[in-house]
């Protein structure tokens, strides 16, 4: 297995809303991400603190209320993870600038200069069959927090944050990574190679499914199983919902992507029955609260999806229907998905002879709505005979 760098725990996050509306961020080391927000007046009485119910504070939308200096669920999740380095950084090596004003971004908004850092969480024994859990758009590895323990007994499970999401690097477009779907395919190949597994089962949710299928089509010999969670399977599915497509709009998209309640909370709760607990919201909001790079990456990914998703969905359908496709494939579908209609899904599975597992109480983000149930289903679907 490749060596993975242990990420130090970030200090408690504090935030003061300055008149300039700008965060002053510090990054303590080059190889680790440390989230430290400072204010000009640390003892000011008008400071806003992060990540608590609005009822506890003033309801300022970009902070989500007030949060004490006590333990933060985002910190606890961060402690469970590690950093690995995969996929080379291309470009001139210049310092990234924000896309609106062209100002140099702070240290915490700059990506690596040589190889990108990916945040991942592992569970289980490395000698057991490997399962890689790949989150959807927009989400984080945190979405698999209930699935990982379900797989830890019989498998070596790894969940990672894509570039641009969670605690992985968030390079600005034109500064090493442009977030095209082809680049994501190449990046996934780098990650799997870095993990050093000979055979692996892949689980992927939502709009990143076509990217993973394209990778898998070129590396069938590496795959034991492929499990798709609410993937975009029909032509209708290739159109992003308005909740996401708004981030592709010029200027308005940049503004909305800097609001964690729009970029995180609304994106997670508008696509199904999921009722997000505040502790979970803290984890999902954290990247958007610590750096503008998360929002700008969201803009770039949304624009790439709007431009390329239709072609990728068509290609995915052809791959999965092709007689040369030999990977055992299953589709798990949350029936209460408000973004992707179930019409056509059952017919596709019958025509392609892929197994369909339905979760009646889950929405688009299946692992959020029915994590334990999904974990049991995945464990039952994955082949146990083939070792790494």
């Amino acid at each position: 297995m490749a060596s993975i760098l242990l990420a130090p725990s970030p200090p408690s996050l504090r935030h003061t809303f300055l008149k300039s509306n700008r965060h002053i961020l510090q990054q303590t080391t080059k190889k680790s991400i440390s989230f430290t927000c400072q204010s000009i007046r640390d003892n000011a009485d008008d400071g806003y603190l992060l990540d608590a119910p609005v009822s506890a504070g003033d309801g300022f939308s970009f902070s989500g209320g007030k949060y004490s200096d006590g333990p933060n669920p985002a910190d606890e999740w961060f402690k469970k993870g590690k950093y690995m380095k995969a996929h080379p950084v291309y470009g001139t090596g210049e310092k990234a600038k924000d896309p609106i004003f062209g100002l140099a971004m702070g240290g915490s908004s700059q990506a690596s200069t040589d190889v990108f850092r990916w945040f991942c969480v592992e569970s289980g024994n490395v000698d057991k069959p490997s399962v890689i859990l790949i989150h959807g758009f927009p989400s984080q590895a945190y979405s698999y927090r209930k699935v990982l323990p379900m797989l830890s007994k019989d498998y070596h499970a790894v969940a990672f944050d894509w570039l641009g999401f969670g605690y992985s690097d968030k390079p600005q477009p034109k500064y090493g990574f442009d977030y095209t779907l082809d680049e994501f395919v190449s990046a996934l190949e780098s990650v799997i190679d870095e993990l050093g597994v000979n055979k692996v089962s892949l689980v992927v949710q939502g709009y990143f499914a076509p990217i993973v299928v394209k990778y898998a089509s070129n590396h069938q010999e590496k795959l034991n199983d492929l499990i798709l969670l609410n993937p975009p399977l029909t032509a209708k599915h290739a159109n992003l919902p308005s909740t996401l497509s708004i981030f592709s709009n010029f200027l308005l998209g940049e503004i909305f992507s800097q609001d964690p309640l729009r970029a995180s909370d609304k994106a997670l709760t508008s696509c199904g029955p999921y009722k997000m607990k505040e502790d979970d919201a803290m984890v999902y909001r954290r990247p958007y609260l610590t750096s503008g790079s998360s929002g700008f990456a969201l803009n770039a990914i949304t624009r790439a999806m709007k431009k390329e998703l239709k072609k990728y969905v068509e290609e995915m359908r052809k791959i999965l229907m092709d007689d040369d496709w030999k990977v055992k494939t299953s589709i798990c579908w949350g029936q209460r998905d408000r973004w992707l209609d179930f019409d056509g899904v059952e017919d596709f599975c019958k025509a392609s002879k892929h197994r369909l597992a339905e979760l009646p109480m889950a929405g688009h983000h299946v692992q959020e709505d029915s994590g334990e149930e999904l974990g049991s289903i995945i464990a039952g679907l994955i082949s146990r005979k083939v070792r790494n």
Side-chain angles (χ1 to χ4, degrees):
M1 298 292 293
S3 61
I4 298 180
L5 305 176
L6 179 63
S9 170
S12 298
L13 182 65
R14 301 180 60 217
H15 172 277
T16 297
F17 178 57
L18 305 179
K19 292 182 180 180
S20 62
N21 288 348
R22 295 181 64 87
H23 296 236
I24 302 175
L25 302 172
Q26 285 186 330
Q27 186 171 5
T28 57
T29 64
K30 180 180 178 182
K31 291 188 177 181
S32 65
I33 295 178
S34 180
F35 303 119
T36 305
C37 289
Q38 295 182 333
S39 70
I40 295 175
R41 298 179 299 150
D42 277 344
N43 296 321
D45 293 329
D46 59 348
Y48 288 82
L49 299 176
L50 301 179
D51 295 331
V54 171
S55 58
D58 51 45
F60 176 56
S61 64
F62 283 79
S63 72
K66 298 204 173 192
Y67 176 66
S68 70
D69 284 335
N72 187 320
D75 296 343
E76 297 305 311
W77 173 249
F78 192 83
K79 291 176 183 177
K80 296 179 181 179
K82 300 176 181 179
Y83 275 111
M84 67 175 175
K85 302 190 76 173
H87 198 63
V89 178
Y90 299 107
T92 63
E94 294 180 78
K95 294 294 183 182
K97 300 177 182 179
D98 78 76
I100 299 178
F101 302 107
L103 301 175
M105 301 185 73
S108 64
S109 297
Q110 302 292 341
S112 305
T113 58
D114 51 357
V115 181
F116 289 118
R117 297 165 300 183
W118 301 68
F119 178 77
C120 64
V121 176
E122 294 181 279
S123 68
N125 191 315
V126 295
D127 295 325
K128 297 291 182 67
S130 293
V131 182
I132 299 180
L133 305 171
I134 304 171
H135 70 77
F137 167 65
S139 188
Q140 297 179 29
Y142 182 71
S143 63
Y144 287 107
R145 64 195 176 279
K146 297 178 183 177
V147 177
L148 284 164
M150 304 293 293
L151 301 178
S152 61
K153 179 180 178 181
D154 297 310
Y155 305 98
H156 171 230
V158 180
F160 67 83
D161 287 332
W162 283 107
L163 293 179
F165 293 94
Y167 300 99
S168 290
D169 273 344
K170 302 169 188 66
Q172 296 307 288
K174 301 180 181 179
Y175 293 93
F177 196 81
D178 290 336
Y179 298 98
T180 66
L181 303 197
D182 284 347
E183 284 180 300
F184 275 115
V185 174
S186 178
L188 177 61
E189 181 175 4
S190 297
V191 168
I192 294 176
D193 288 347
E194 185 66 22
L195 288 172
V197 292
N198 295 322
K199 298 283 285 187
V200 65
S201 294
L202 300 179
V203 179
V204 56
Q205 189 268 329
Y207 292 105
F208 276 116
I211 291 169
V212 174
V213 170
K214 185 168 184 178
Y215 161 81
S217 69
N218 297 321
H219 301 279
Q220 292 193 52
E221 75 286 351
K222 286 189 175 183
L223 269 65
N224 290 328
D225 301 86
L226 176 67
I227 300 177
L228 310 178
L229 314 177
N230 284 58
L233 284 175
T234 70
K236 186 178 178 181
H237 291 170
N239 299 314
L240 290 179
S242 58
T243 307
L244 299 181
S245 63
I246 188 67
F247 298 115
S248 68
N249 292 351
F250 175 69
L251 192 57
L252 186 62
E254 274 80 9
I255 294 172
F256 283 176
S257 70
Q258 298 302 317
D259 182 349
L261 299 187
R262 282 186 177 273
S264 177
D265 295 39
K266 188 174 182 179
L268 287 170
T269 58
S270 67
C271 57
Y274 181 50
K275 303 298 182 183
M276 186 160 52
K277 296 179 180 179
E278 187 62 26
D279 280 357
D280 297 326
M282 293 181 193
V283 181
Y284 283 112
R285 293 174 193 154
R286 173 64 74 88
Y288 295 96
L289 290 164
T290 56
S291 170
S293 61
S294 298
F296 293 139
L298 180 61
N299 299 140
I301 298 166
T302 307
R303 287 163 185 155
M305 285 279 182
K306 286 195 70 175
K307 182 179 180 181
E308 304 174 60
L309 185 59
K310 181 179 179 180
K311 180 185 71 174
Y312 262 73
V313 169
E314 292 174 351
E315 187 175 1
M316 178 176 70
R317 286 176 59 89
K318 291 179 181 178
I319 291 170
L320 296 179
M321 295 283 287
D322 198 296
D323 291 338
D324 291 332
W325 179 252
K326 304 301 182 184
V327 178
K328 190 178 80 171
T329 303
S330 304
I331 295 172
C332 298
W333 197 271
Q335 290 283 10
R336 300 175 71 181
D337 191 333
R338 296 173 186 165
W339 285 353
L340 303 182
D341 199 306
F342 186 65
D343 289 347
V345 173
E346 191 170 15
D347 290 340
F348 175 83
C349 291
K350 288 180 180 178
S352 61
K353 299 180 181 179
H354 297 317
R355 182 171 179 175
L356 173 64
E358 300 178 30
L359 292 84
M361 301 306 294
H364 182 70
H365 293 283
V366 187
Q367 65 272 40
E368 284 287 356
D369 296 325
S370 305
E372 292 89 350
E373 181 183 0
L374 178 64
S376 297
I377 291 174
I378 292 174
L381 291 174
I382 294 177
S383 304
R384 300 185 186 183
K385 294 181 180 180
V386 182
R387 290 295 186 263
N388 297 338

